[in-house]
Every structure is written in structure tokens, then in C-alpha cells.
Amino acid sequence: MVRPVEYHSQAKAEIQEAIKWYDDKVEGLGLEFLFEVRYAESKIIQAPEMWPTYEGETRRYLLKRFPFGVIYLTSDEKIQIVAVAHYKRKPGYWKKRLKDS
């Protein structure tokens, strides 16, 4: 059974901010970032338990080309992407979002 994917509103904002930042550096790089996030989403949908637990009950898929991780929760009903977080900026800042889940 394929579970639907939901993005936390702040995770969506993080993606948009990163797209803008990368596009400001090199035109088209933001779109490449988005493609990699979408690729990560497709891999997570295929096998959500494949990636290791990260903090608490979350899991993390590391992007290959960009220094970001897709942090997500799984349940029988859905996959919730909690954050698309840079590896080295403010570790754990997204944990308060788990209360919103």
C-alpha cells in the first residue's frame, strides 16, 4: 500500500527558501535541488523504513548532491515530512514540529 505524503508547512517553506538561495547562486540550481527533494520523496514512498532512525521516531534521508536531509515520520496511514534541514545549521531546530504531528 502506498501511503500519502504530507509536508509540514515549515518543511515546504524550507524547500522554497533553499530553491531561492540556490537560484541566487546559479540559475537553475534551485530547480535541481527541488528535483533531488522529489527524488528523495519517491524513494521514501517506495521503502519508508529503509532509512535509519534519526531523532526519536523520525527517519532521515540524506540528499546526495546538496547538504540537506529529509526528516520524516511514518505511520500506517501516511508519511509526514517534518523538515528539509541543512546538515550543519541549527541541529534539532525542527523537533518542536513533532508536537504538531
Side-chain angles (χ1 to χ4, degrees):
M1 177 182 108
V2 175
R3 292 175 260 188
V5 175
E6 292 179 2
Y7 281 80
H8 190 282
S9 62
Q10 291 176 337
K12 287 181 183 179
E14 289 164 345
I15 293 168
Q16 292 303 315
E17 288 169 16
I19 289 169
K20 183 178 178 340
W21 192 87
Y22 282 116
D23 270 342
D24 287 348
K25 301 300 174 205
V26 176
E27 186 175 337
L29 192 57
L31 187 58
E32 291 179 35
F33 174 80
L34 178 60
F35 286 154
E36 189 156 344
V37 170
R38 294 294 184 228
Y39 178 77
E41 178 184 319
S42 72
K43 299 305 272 183
I44 291 166
I45 288 169
Q46 291 174 19
E49 285 76 26
M50 184 173 175
W51 285 273
T53 55
Y54 179 54
E55 297 275 342
E57 296 181 19
T58 65
R59 292 179 181 272
R60 182 174 70 163
Y61 178 103
L62 298 175
L63 300 184
K64 305 291 184 241
R65 186 169 168 205
F66 298 92
F68 282 81
V70 177
I71 301 165
Y72 64 98
L73 291 167
T74 61
S75 69
D76 291 339
E77 297 82 35
K78 66 182 176 181
I79 297 167
Q80 183 182 25
I81 297 180
V82 178
V84 178
H86 193 281
Y87 295 170
K88 297 183 180 181
R89 291 191 201 135
K90 302 179 190 174
Y93 72 90
W94 49 268
K95 288 181 188 178
K96 63 183 180 263
R97 297 178 193 172
L98 297 175
K99 297 173 190 165
D100 300 341
S101 308

